Amino acid sequence: MSVEIINFGCRLNTYEGEVIRDQAQKAGLQDAIIFNSCTVTAEAERQVRQAIRRARREHPAAKIIVTGCGAQVHPEEYKGMEEVDHVLGNADKLKASPYLAFARDEEKAIVNDIHSVRETASHLVAGFEGIARAFVQVQNGCDHRCTFCIIPFGRGPSRSVTLADIVAQVRALVEAGYNEVVLTGVDITDYGKDLPGTSTLGGMMKRLLALVPELPRLRLSSIDAVEVDSDTMDLLATEPRLMPHLHLSVQAGDDMVLKRMKRRHSRADIISFCAQVRRLRPDVVFGADLIAGFPTESEAMFENTLRLVGEVGLTWLHVFPYSARSGTPAARMPQVPKAVRKERASRLREAGKQQVAAYLASQVGTVQRVLMENEHTGRTEQYAPVEMGHGHQTGAVMEVSITAANTSMLSGMPVMAK
Ligand code: SF4
Protein backbone atom coordinates (compact mmCIF):
# COMPACT_ATOMS: atom_id res chain seq x y z
CA MET A 1 0.00 0.00 0.00
CA SER A 2 1.50 3.34 -1.00
CA VAL A 3 -0.81 6.32 -0.34
CA GLU A 4 -4.59 5.89 -0.13
CA ILE A 5 -6.85 8.96 -0.16
CA ILE A 6 -10.34 8.73 1.37
CA ASN A 7 -12.47 11.77 0.54
CA PHE A 8 -15.60 12.79 2.41
CA GLY A 9 -18.18 15.49 1.70
CA CYS A 10 -18.17 17.84 -1.27
CA ARG A 11 -16.83 17.77 -4.83
CA LEU A 12 -14.17 20.29 -3.81
CA ASN A 13 -12.75 17.63 -1.49
CA THR A 14 -12.80 15.15 -4.40
CA TYR A 15 -10.75 17.55 -6.51
CA GLU A 16 -8.37 18.32 -3.67
CA GLY A 17 -8.00 14.60 -2.96
CA GLU A 18 -6.19 14.23 -6.30
CA VAL A 19 -3.86 17.14 -5.47
CA ILE A 20 -3.14 15.58 -2.05
CA ARG A 21 -2.31 12.26 -3.75
CA ASP A 22 0.20 13.98 -6.06
CA GLN A 23 1.82 16.00 -3.24
CA ALA A 24 2.03 13.07 -0.81
CA GLN A 25 3.62 10.84 -3.45
CA LYS A 26 5.98 13.66 -4.45
CA ALA A 27 7.02 13.90 -0.75
CA GLY A 28 7.80 10.17 -0.77
CA LEU A 29 5.14 9.26 1.78
CA GLN A 30 4.67 5.48 2.03
CA ASP A 31 2.07 3.14 3.58
CA ALA A 32 -0.27 5.97 4.48
CA ILE A 33 -4.02 6.53 4.54
CA ILE A 34 -5.10 10.17 4.26
CA PHE A 35 -8.64 11.06 5.37
CA ASN A 36 -9.84 14.24 3.61
CA SER A 37 -12.56 14.90 6.15
CA CYS A 38 -15.86 16.82 6.22
CA THR A 39 -17.50 18.60 9.17
CA VAL A 40 -20.68 19.99 7.56
CA THR A 41 -22.90 17.83 9.83
CA ALA A 42 -22.36 15.78 13.01
CA GLU A 43 -23.20 12.68 10.95
CA ALA A 44 -20.43 13.47 8.42
CA GLU A 45 -17.92 13.77 11.23
CA ARG A 46 -19.14 10.52 12.84
CA GLN A 47 -18.55 8.69 9.54
CA VAL A 48 -14.98 10.05 9.35
CA ARG A 49 -14.14 8.83 12.84
CA GLN A 50 -15.74 5.44 12.14
CA ALA A 51 -13.70 5.06 8.93
CA ILE A 52 -10.48 5.96 10.78
CA ARG A 53 -11.10 3.28 13.44
CA ARG A 54 -11.84 0.69 10.76
CA ALA A 55 -8.69 1.62 8.81
CA ARG A 56 -6.54 1.26 11.93
CA ARG A 57 -8.00 -2.21 12.59
CA GLU A 58 -7.41 -3.32 9.01
CA HIS A 59 -3.98 -1.63 8.63
CA PRO A 60 -2.24 -1.67 12.06
CA ALA A 61 1.09 -0.41 10.60
CA ALA A 62 -0.25 2.27 8.27
CA LYS A 63 0.43 5.95 8.87
CA ILE A 64 -2.99 7.62 9.38
CA ILE A 65 -3.28 11.31 8.51
CA VAL A 66 -6.46 13.38 8.93
CA THR A 67 -6.91 16.56 6.89
CA GLY A 68 -9.88 18.49 5.47
CA CYS A 69 -12.51 20.64 7.22
CA GLY A 70 -12.85 18.30 10.21
CA ALA A 71 -9.12 18.59 10.93
CA GLN A 72 -9.20 22.37 10.44
CA VAL A 73 -12.20 22.96 12.74
CA HIS A 74 -11.61 20.22 15.36
CA PRO A 75 -7.83 19.50 15.36
CA GLU A 76 -7.69 18.60 19.08
CA GLU A 77 -10.37 15.91 18.67
CA TYR A 78 -8.38 14.17 15.95
CA LYS A 79 -5.07 14.63 17.77
CA GLY A 80 -6.79 12.92 20.71
CA MET A 81 -7.66 9.81 18.67
CA GLU A 82 -5.07 7.06 19.34
CA GLU A 83 -5.60 5.76 15.80
CA VAL A 84 -4.40 9.05 14.28
CA ASP A 85 -0.68 9.75 13.60
CA HIS A 86 -0.89 13.23 12.10
CA VAL A 87 -3.41 16.08 11.69
CA LEU A 88 -3.19 18.60 8.83
CA GLY A 89 -5.33 21.70 8.34
CA ASN A 90 -6.89 22.92 5.08
CA ALA A 91 -4.44 25.83 4.77
CA ASP A 92 -1.51 23.48 4.05
CA LYS A 93 -3.04 20.22 2.75
CA LEU A 94 -2.28 21.03 -0.91
CA LYS A 95 1.48 21.52 -0.27
CA ALA A 96 4.14 18.77 -0.34
CA SER A 97 6.10 19.98 2.70
CA PRO A 98 3.69 18.72 5.41
CA TYR A 99 3.75 15.20 3.95
CA LEU A 100 7.57 15.28 3.98
CA ALA A 101 7.49 16.30 7.66
CA PHE A 102 5.02 13.49 8.39
CA ALA A 103 7.12 10.96 6.44
CA ARG A 104 10.00 11.85 8.78
CA ASP A 105 7.76 12.00 11.87
CA GLU A 106 9.00 15.53 12.49
CA GLU A 107 5.52 16.95 13.30
CA LYS A 108 2.35 15.52 14.87
CA ALA A 109 0.06 18.29 13.58
CA ILE A 110 0.18 21.24 11.17
CA VAL A 111 -2.98 23.33 11.48
CA ASN A 112 -2.61 27.01 10.56
CA ASP A 113 -5.02 29.95 10.59
CA ILE A 114 -7.35 29.36 7.62
CA HIS A 115 -8.70 32.92 7.86
CA SER A 116 -5.32 34.35 6.85
CA VAL A 117 -5.25 32.39 3.57
CA ARG A 118 -5.72 34.69 0.56
CA GLU A 119 -4.51 32.57 -2.37
CA THR A 120 -5.84 29.45 -4.07
CA ALA A 121 -2.88 27.21 -4.75
CA SER A 122 -2.89 26.22 -8.43
CA HIS A 123 -2.34 22.56 -9.24
CA LEU A 124 -2.80 20.62 -12.45
CA VAL A 125 -4.70 17.44 -11.72
CA ALA A 126 -4.21 14.72 -14.35
CA GLY A 127 -7.46 12.90 -13.68
CA PHE A 128 -9.84 11.30 -11.20
CA GLU A 129 -9.44 7.59 -10.42
CA GLY A 130 -12.59 5.73 -11.43
CA ILE A 131 -14.68 8.86 -12.09
CA ALA A 132 -16.12 9.63 -15.55
CA ARG A 133 -16.50 13.39 -15.06
CA ALA A 134 -13.82 15.75 -13.84
CA PHE A 135 -14.06 18.30 -11.05
CA VAL A 136 -12.22 21.60 -11.36
CA GLN A 137 -11.82 23.98 -8.44
CA VAL A 138 -12.55 27.58 -9.45
CA GLN A 139 -13.09 29.06 -5.99
CA ASN A 140 -12.56 28.28 -2.31
CA GLY A 141 -13.77 29.66 1.04
CA CYS A 142 -16.78 31.79 1.87
CA ASP A 143 -17.35 35.37 3.07
CA HIS A 144 -20.93 34.75 4.21
CA ARG A 145 -21.95 33.69 7.71
CA CYS A 146 -25.13 31.66 7.42
CA THR A 147 -26.06 30.97 11.03
CA PHE A 148 -26.10 27.13 10.69
CA CYS A 149 -22.88 26.79 8.73
CA ILE A 150 -19.42 25.77 9.93
CA ILE A 151 -17.82 25.81 6.44
CA PRO A 152 -16.25 29.29 6.57
CA PHE A 153 -14.37 28.16 9.72
CA GLY A 154 -12.97 25.20 7.78
CA ARG A 155 -12.38 26.89 4.45
CA GLY A 156 -11.51 30.55 5.22
CA PRO A 157 -12.32 33.63 3.10
CA SER A 158 -13.62 33.49 -0.47
CA ARG A 159 -10.82 33.37 -3.07
CA SER A 160 -10.85 32.64 -6.78
CA VAL A 161 -8.62 30.62 -9.11
CA THR A 162 -7.32 32.68 -12.02
CA LEU A 163 -8.77 32.15 -15.50
CA ALA A 164 -5.35 31.05 -16.80
CA ASP A 165 -5.11 28.26 -14.20
CA ILE A 166 -8.70 27.13 -14.85
CA VAL A 167 -8.14 27.01 -18.63
CA ALA A 168 -4.89 25.07 -18.21
CA GLN A 169 -6.62 22.57 -15.90
CA VAL A 170 -9.65 22.07 -18.15
CA ARG A 171 -7.45 21.69 -21.25
CA ALA A 172 -5.35 19.04 -19.49
CA LEU A 173 -8.49 17.10 -18.49
CA VAL A 174 -10.02 17.29 -21.98
CA GLU A 175 -6.71 16.07 -23.44
CA ALA A 176 -6.85 13.23 -20.90
CA GLY A 177 -10.21 12.22 -22.41
CA TYR A 178 -12.78 13.83 -20.09
CA ASN A 179 -15.97 14.93 -21.85
CA GLU A 180 -17.50 16.69 -18.83
CA VAL A 181 -16.08 19.12 -16.30
CA VAL A 182 -17.89 20.23 -13.12
CA LEU A 183 -16.85 23.65 -11.79
CA THR A 184 -16.61 23.40 -8.02
CA GLY A 185 -15.85 25.50 -4.97
CA VAL A 186 -17.57 26.56 -1.76
CA ASP A 187 -19.46 29.65 -3.03
CA ILE A 188 -18.73 29.67 -6.77
CA THR A 189 -21.20 32.47 -7.52
CA ASP A 190 -18.83 34.69 -5.53
CA TYR A 191 -16.18 34.00 -8.19
CA GLY A 192 -13.92 36.87 -9.18
CA LYS A 193 -14.69 39.36 -6.42
CA ASP A 194 -11.08 39.06 -5.18
CA LEU A 195 -9.51 39.19 -8.65
CA PRO A 196 -8.43 42.38 -10.45
CA GLY A 197 -11.01 43.80 -12.86
CA THR A 198 -14.65 42.74 -12.96
CA SER A 199 -14.48 38.95 -13.19
CA THR A 200 -17.67 37.02 -12.60
CA LEU A 201 -18.57 33.31 -12.75
CA GLY A 202 -20.40 33.85 -16.06
CA GLY A 203 -17.62 36.01 -17.50
CA MET A 204 -15.07 33.36 -16.59
CA MET A 205 -17.19 30.56 -18.12
CA LYS A 206 -17.64 32.50 -21.38
CA ARG A 207 -13.85 32.90 -21.68
CA LEU A 208 -13.24 29.28 -20.68
CA LEU A 209 -15.69 27.90 -23.27
CA ALA A 210 -14.16 30.13 -25.95
CA LEU A 211 -10.60 29.12 -25.03
CA VAL A 212 -11.41 25.37 -24.80
CA PRO A 213 -13.80 24.80 -27.73
CA GLU A 214 -13.16 21.04 -27.55
CA LEU A 215 -14.85 20.75 -24.09
CA PRO A 216 -18.25 19.07 -24.77
CA ARG A 217 -20.00 19.51 -21.38
CA LEU A 218 -19.61 22.09 -18.60
CA ARG A 219 -21.61 21.60 -15.40
CA LEU A 220 -21.99 23.82 -12.34
CA SER A 221 -21.90 22.57 -8.76
CA SER A 222 -24.06 24.25 -6.11
CA ILE A 223 -24.92 27.94 -6.68
CA ASP A 224 -26.52 30.78 -4.73
CA ALA A 225 -29.50 31.91 -6.85
CA VAL A 226 -29.37 35.57 -5.80
CA GLU A 227 -25.68 35.86 -6.67
CA VAL A 228 -26.01 34.57 -10.25
CA ASP A 229 -24.60 37.14 -12.71
CA SER A 230 -26.04 38.22 -16.07
CA ASP A 231 -23.34 36.44 -18.11
CA THR A 232 -24.33 33.14 -16.50
CA MET A 233 -27.98 33.79 -17.40
CA ASP A 234 -26.88 34.63 -20.93
CA LEU A 235 -24.93 31.38 -21.21
CA LEU A 236 -27.90 29.39 -19.92
CA ALA A 237 -29.97 30.90 -22.73
CA THR A 238 -27.44 30.52 -25.55
CA GLU A 239 -24.73 27.92 -24.76
CA PRO A 240 -25.66 24.23 -25.29
CA ARG A 241 -22.37 23.13 -23.70
CA LEU A 242 -23.49 24.58 -20.33
CA MET A 243 -25.58 21.79 -18.83
CA PRO A 244 -29.28 22.60 -18.13
CA HIS A 245 -28.98 21.45 -14.52
CA LEU A 246 -28.69 23.93 -11.64
CA HIS A 247 -28.23 22.85 -8.03
CA LEU A 248 -29.45 25.67 -5.79
CA SER A 249 -28.41 26.36 -2.21
CA VAL A 250 -32.00 27.08 -1.10
CA GLN A 251 -31.92 25.69 2.45
CA ALA A 252 -35.54 26.69 3.29
CA GLY A 253 -38.74 28.04 1.72
CA ASP A 254 -39.97 30.19 4.59
CA ASP A 255 -38.92 33.85 4.88
CA MET A 256 -38.67 33.89 8.68
CA VAL A 257 -36.47 30.78 8.65
CA LEU A 258 -34.36 32.24 5.81
CA LYS A 259 -33.95 35.43 7.84
CA ARG A 260 -32.82 33.48 10.92
CA MET A 261 -30.43 31.50 8.69
CA LYS A 262 -29.00 34.83 7.46
CA ARG A 263 -29.56 33.73 3.87
CA ARG A 264 -29.49 36.41 1.17
CA HIS A 265 -32.63 35.27 -0.62
CA SER A 266 -36.37 35.14 0.08
CA ARG A 267 -38.91 32.51 -0.96
CA ALA A 268 -40.08 34.85 -3.73
CA ASP A 269 -36.49 35.25 -5.00
CA ILE A 270 -36.20 31.50 -5.58
CA ILE A 271 -39.57 31.35 -7.34
CA SER A 272 -38.71 34.25 -9.67
CA PHE A 273 -35.15 33.02 -10.33
CA CYS A 274 -36.39 29.56 -11.37
CA ALA A 275 -39.16 31.05 -13.52
CA GLN A 276 -36.62 33.30 -15.27
CA VAL A 277 -34.22 30.41 -15.92
CA ARG A 278 -37.08 28.26 -17.27
CA ARG A 279 -37.95 31.02 -19.74
CA LEU A 280 -34.30 31.16 -20.88
CA ARG A 281 -33.71 27.38 -20.87
CA PRO A 282 -36.99 25.42 -20.87
CA ASP A 283 -35.25 22.02 -20.51
CA VAL A 284 -33.53 23.00 -17.25
CA VAL A 285 -33.82 20.81 -14.15
CA PHE A 286 -33.21 22.13 -10.64
CA GLY A 287 -31.69 20.45 -7.63
CA ALA A 288 -31.61 21.99 -4.17
CA ASP A 289 -30.05 21.75 -0.72
CA LEU A 290 -32.74 21.91 1.97
CA ILE A 291 -32.49 21.83 5.76
CA ALA A 292 -35.36 20.33 7.77
CA GLY A 293 -35.98 21.37 11.37
CA PHE A 294 -33.86 24.53 11.56
CA PRO A 295 -34.08 26.00 15.09
CA THR A 296 -37.44 27.75 15.78
CA GLU A 297 -38.98 26.27 12.59
CA SER A 298 -42.71 25.76 13.23
CA GLU A 299 -44.92 23.27 11.36
CA ALA A 300 -46.37 26.16 9.31
CA MET A 301 -42.88 27.42 8.41
CA PHE A 302 -41.84 23.91 7.40
CA GLU A 303 -44.88 23.56 5.16
CA ASN A 304 -43.75 26.68 3.27
CA THR A 305 -40.55 24.80 2.47
CA LEU A 306 -42.41 21.61 1.57
CA ARG A 307 -44.76 23.47 -0.77
CA LEU A 308 -41.84 25.23 -2.50
CA VAL A 309 -40.59 21.86 -3.83
CA GLY A 310 -43.71 21.39 -5.96
CA GLU A 311 -44.32 25.08 -6.69
CA VAL A 312 -40.90 25.57 -8.29
CA GLY A 313 -40.25 22.01 -9.39
CA LEU A 314 -37.14 21.24 -7.33
CA THR A 315 -36.19 17.73 -8.48
CA TRP A 316 -32.84 16.49 -7.23
CA LEU A 317 -33.06 17.21 -3.50
CA HIS A 318 -30.25 16.98 -0.94
CA VAL A 319 -32.16 17.03 2.35
CA PHE A 320 -30.39 17.47 5.68
CA PRO A 321 -32.05 17.23 9.10
CA TYR A 322 -30.65 20.28 10.89
CA SER A 323 -27.37 19.41 12.65
CA ALA A 324 -26.14 21.80 15.35
CA ARG A 325 -22.49 22.75 14.76
CA SER A 326 -20.83 24.14 17.90
CA GLY A 327 -19.58 27.68 17.38
CA THR A 328 -22.42 28.62 15.00
CA PRO A 329 -25.18 31.07 16.05
CA ALA A 330 -27.98 28.61 15.17
CA ALA A 331 -26.59 26.09 17.67
CA ARG A 332 -27.47 28.60 20.41
CA MET A 333 -31.07 29.08 19.19
CA PRO A 334 -34.07 27.09 20.59
CA GLN A 335 -33.73 23.66 18.96
CA VAL A 336 -36.42 21.62 17.21
CA PRO A 337 -36.56 18.06 18.64
CA LYS A 338 -34.39 15.60 16.64
CA ALA A 339 -37.36 13.31 15.97
CA VAL A 340 -39.26 16.21 14.40
CA ARG A 341 -36.23 17.13 12.26
CA LYS A 342 -36.00 13.55 11.00
CA GLU A 343 -39.74 13.34 10.31
CA ARG A 344 -39.72 16.62 8.36
CA ALA A 345 -36.65 15.49 6.41
CA SER A 346 -38.44 12.32 5.34
CA ARG A 347 -41.44 14.34 4.17
CA LEU A 348 -39.16 16.55 2.11
CA ARG A 349 -37.42 13.52 0.61
CA GLU A 350 -40.81 12.04 -0.27
CA ALA A 351 -41.78 15.28 -2.04
CA GLY A 352 -38.49 15.09 -3.92
CA LYS A 353 -39.14 11.49 -4.96
CA GLN A 354 -42.47 12.51 -6.45
CA GLN A 355 -40.75 15.27 -8.44
CA VAL A 356 -38.14 12.80 -9.68
CA ALA A 357 -40.74 10.22 -10.74
CA ALA A 358 -42.77 12.83 -12.61
CA TYR A 359 -39.68 14.25 -14.35
CA LEU A 360 -38.35 10.81 -15.36
CA ALA A 361 -41.75 9.79 -16.77
CA SER A 362 -41.73 12.95 -18.93
CA GLN A 363 -38.45 11.84 -20.55
CA VAL A 364 -39.74 8.59 -22.06
CA GLY A 365 -39.75 8.78 -25.86
CA THR A 366 -37.12 11.54 -25.98
CA VAL A 367 -33.52 11.33 -27.24
CA GLN A 368 -30.88 12.44 -24.72
CA ARG A 369 -27.11 12.88 -24.72
CA VAL A 370 -25.80 10.63 -21.93
CA LEU A 371 -22.35 10.67 -20.29
CA MET A 372 -21.49 7.06 -19.39
CA GLU A 373 -20.36 6.86 -15.76
CA ASN A 374 -19.44 3.18 -16.15
CA GLU A 375 -20.08 0.49 -18.78
CA HIS A 376 -23.85 0.32 -18.20
CA THR A 377 -25.18 3.53 -16.56
CA GLY A 378 -24.81 7.21 -17.32
CA ARG A 379 -26.48 10.59 -16.84
CA THR A 380 -28.29 12.97 -19.15
CA GLU A 381 -27.46 16.66 -19.43
CA GLN A 382 -30.13 17.25 -16.73
CA TYR A 383 -28.30 14.71 -14.49
CA ALA A 384 -30.99 12.01 -14.81
CA PRO A 385 -29.58 8.47 -14.33
CA VAL A 386 -29.98 6.11 -17.32
CA GLU A 387 -29.58 2.32 -17.38
CA MET A 388 -28.18 1.31 -20.79
CA GLY A 389 -27.33 -2.42 -20.63
CA HIS A 390 -23.66 -3.48 -20.50
CA GLY A 391 -20.64 -2.98 -22.71
CA HIS A 392 -20.48 0.80 -23.14
CA GLN A 393 -17.38 2.98 -22.85
CA THR A 394 -17.00 4.82 -19.52
CA GLY A 395 -16.70 8.56 -20.08
CA ALA A 396 -18.21 8.47 -23.59
CA VAL A 397 -21.13 10.78 -24.49
CA MET A 398 -23.83 8.86 -26.40
CA GLU A 399 -27.10 9.71 -28.18
CA VAL A 400 -29.67 7.64 -26.31
CA SER A 401 -33.31 6.92 -27.01
CA ILE A 402 -35.18 6.85 -23.67
CA THR A 403 -37.44 3.80 -23.71
CA ALA A 404 -38.76 3.54 -20.13
CA ALA A 405 -38.69 5.06 -16.63
CA ASN A 406 -39.25 3.87 -13.10
CA THR A 407 -39.33 6.08 -10.00
CA SER A 408 -35.54 6.53 -9.85
CA MET A 409 -33.98 5.61 -13.18
CA LEU A 410 -34.47 5.89 -16.93
CA SER A 411 -33.79 3.07 -19.38
CA GLY A 412 -32.44 3.70 -22.81
CA MET A 413 -30.65 2.35 -25.83
CA PRO A 414 -28.05 3.91 -28.09
CA VAL A 415 -29.40 5.66 -31.18
CA MET A 416 -27.98 3.79 -34.17
CA ALA A 417 -25.83 6.01 -36.42
CA LYS A 418 -27.66 6.47 -39.74
S1 SF4 B 1 -22.88 30.57 1.72
FE1 SF4 B 1 -23.60 30.07 3.78
S2 SF4 B 1 -24.06 27.87 3.63
FE2 SF4 B 1 -22.73 28.35 1.94
S3 SF4 B 1 -20.65 27.92 2.69
FE3 SF4 B 1 -21.08 30.11 3.01
S4 SF4 B 1 -21.80 30.26 5.09
FE4 SF4 B 1 -21.98 28.11 4.46
Side-chain angles (χ1 to χ4, degrees), residues 21-37:
R21 188 193 311 281
D22 292 350
Q23 298 293 51
Q25 283 165 348
K26 226 185 276 168
L29 195 63
Q30 294 284 333
D31 302 332
I33 307 173
I34 304 178
F35 292 84
N36 193 11
S37 68

Side-chain angles (χ1 to χ4, degrees), residues 239-279:
E239 176 56 71
R241 293 190 288 152
L242 180 58
M243 297 295 100
H245 163 222
L246 297 182
H247 192 82
L248 309 179
S249 180
V250 175
Q251 310 303 351
D254 178 83
D255 288 342
M256 180 54 79
V257 172
L258 288 166
K259 191 158 171 276
R260 291 174 181 160
M261 285 178 164
K262 263 184 103 183
R263 295 294 295 174
R264 281 109 8 236
H265 63 262
S266 68
R267 188 175 202 282
D269 289 331
I270 297 297
I271 294 172
S272 65
F273 173 78
C274 292
Q276 190 190 357
V277 173
R278 278 195 203 289
R279 279 194 299 278

Side-chain angles (χ1 to χ4, degrees), residues 58-80:
E58 292 166 3
H59 306 282
K63 186 182 280 293
I64 289 186
I65 299 170
V66 184
T67 187
C69 295
Q72 182 68 45
V73 174
H74 301 128
E76 296 313 317
E77 284 181 28
Y78 288 106
K79 276 197 263 181

